[in-house]
Amino acid sequence: MVRLGVNIDHIATLREVRHGIEPEPVFAALICQAAGADGIVVHLREDRRHIKERDLFILREIIKTKLNLEMSVTEEIVKIACQVKPDQATLVPEKRQELTTEGGLDVCGNLKRIIQVRERLERNGIGSSLFIDPDKRQIDAAKKSGVKMIELHTGRYANAKGQKQQEAHLKEIKAATGYAAAKGLEVFAGHGLNYYNVTSVARIDGIEELNIGYSIVCRAALVGLDRAVREMKELIEHKR
Ligand code: PXP
């Protein structure tokens, strides 16, 4: 069964709009967990625009499923990760000005640093996944880096204009999944997935986990978080 990791960054975004105390991301994480999420995902950004250290430390104590920390490979963030000890770290590229993580990590161009960080996290009991584009060169480099997991960036598929383009990008994701799985990598996927485009990705043979944030939080604003998570779980499980 394909697992669902719920990214709660944008619950914290809403809190930061007023620099206030609500909505409480920790409360949100517990609701997601109770609604069937297989894990909680958060991105501690260098500019702390949503999730903060305080959230991370509390989440570490209360999350019993899987806490997946998305993080850049900068010294400051690596240090925090080693203290918090999430169940998994997902290494992502990070640009200050971007609205969201726009593309995959360039593993080919940063192999040395990625190996350093992977080894350091491993010494602290943390397994690393790399967030990469569905590209054979990046998958080869990921394998070389020694990680056991990758997450394929589904943004190009999600943003495709028209059915033909969307199918072409889906094909890329399928090919990349098969290629990576044959190399013994665990394959996850995420970014831009929503209630309308998720099933085609959930059906891909070899995909083990989907990480979804924005669309679940948007639906939660209208129907509640518990229902939003359950509806996404149902789509992923039944693949209809
Ligand atoms: N996976 C990774 C590695 C991400 O960086 C993000 C965005 O923070 C997501 C999944 C979730 O993307 P979205 O919020 O578009 O569902």
Side-chain angles (χ1 to χ4, degrees):
M1 209 175 55
V2 180
R3 299 187 299 270
L4 170 65
V6 179
N7 179 314
I8 57 166
D9 288 349
H10 296 305
I11 297 285
T13 302
L14 204 51
R15 176 187 64 185
E16 293 311 307
V17 167
R18 290 274 175 106
H19 302 295
I21 57 164
E22 59 182 7
E24 172 57 76
V26 174
F27 187 19
L30 290 173
I31 293 173
C32 292
Q33 201 170 242
D38 300 289
I40 298 297
V41 189
V42 288
H43 185 174
L44 183 71
R45 280 188 168 266
E46 290 161 35
D47 63 8
R48 308 295 196 272
R49 68 173 75 159
H50 37 56
I51 292 295
K52 299 185 185 304
E53 277 94 327
R54 167 260 182 210
D55 305 323
L56 205 49
F57 281 98
I58 303 174
L59 288 169
R60 175 59 301 179
E61 278 195 31
I62 62 159
I63 294 305
K64 304 289 183 245
T65 48
K66 165 170 154 184
L67 179 64
N68 176 359
L69 173 64
E70 293 178 10
M71 55 179 276
S72 66
V73 293
T74 55
E75 190 50 34
E76 187 218 359
I77 302 289
V78 173
K79 226 182 225 170
I80 296 171
C82 291
Q83 283 174 354
V84 173
K85 300 196 192 317
D87 299 295
Q88 182 193 308
T90 300
L91 308 187
V92 301
E94 195 174 307
K95 291 189 218 119
R96 290 258 165 151
Q97 275 76 33
E98 68 190 356
L99 285 178
T100 178
T101 313
E102 283 160 2
L105 193 63
D106 177 15
V107 187
C108 306
N110 296 286
L111 191 58
K112 206 169 138 202
R113 176 67 184 153
I114 288 167
I115 292 174
Q116 271 176 358
V117 173
R118 194 265 299 155
E119 287 177 344
R120 190 146 146 220
L121 292 169
E122 216 164 81
R123 283 197 296 277
N124 283 276
I126 309 160
S128 301
S129 169
L130 303 180
F131 189 41
I132 57 175
D133 289 323
D135 173 317
K136 284 187 178 175
R137 277 180 56 244
Q138 298 294 347
I139 294 168
D140 289 339
K143 182 71 187 171
K144 225 185 252 175
S145 79
V147 297
K148 299 197 170 56
M149 306 169 274
I150 58 166
E151 179 174 338
L152 297 173
H153 195 304
T154 50
R156 285 206 297 253
Y157 159 76
N159 294 327
K161 302 270 174 284
Q163 203 182 339
K164 217 168 147 190
Q165 219 190 76
Q166 198 180 36
E167 276 169 14
H169 289 304
L170 189 64
K171 236 173 151 177
E172 275 175 8
I173 299 168
K174 273 185 197 164
T177 303
Y179 186 75
K183 286 181 175 291
L185 292 164
E186 285 180 61
V187 186
F188 313 148
H191 204 279
L193 297 178
N194 59 39
Y195 295 84
Y196 311 102
N197 65 17
V198 73
T199 48
S200 304
V201 180
R203 276 193 210 114
I204 296 175
D205 233 17
I207 297 264
E208 300 188 33
E209 180 179 293
L210 297 176
N211 292 310
I212 306 177
Y214 186 69
S215 79
I216 293 178
V217 173
C218 289
R219 183 163 288 206
L222 306 180
V223 305
L225 187 53
D226 177 83
R227 182 166 151 193
V229 172
R230 284 178 199 278
E231 286 177 359
M232 186 58 85
K233 257 307 255 194
E234 175 126 345
L235 280 173
I236 291 174
E237 272 176 25
H238 299 289
K239 302 180 184 177
R240 276 187 265 113

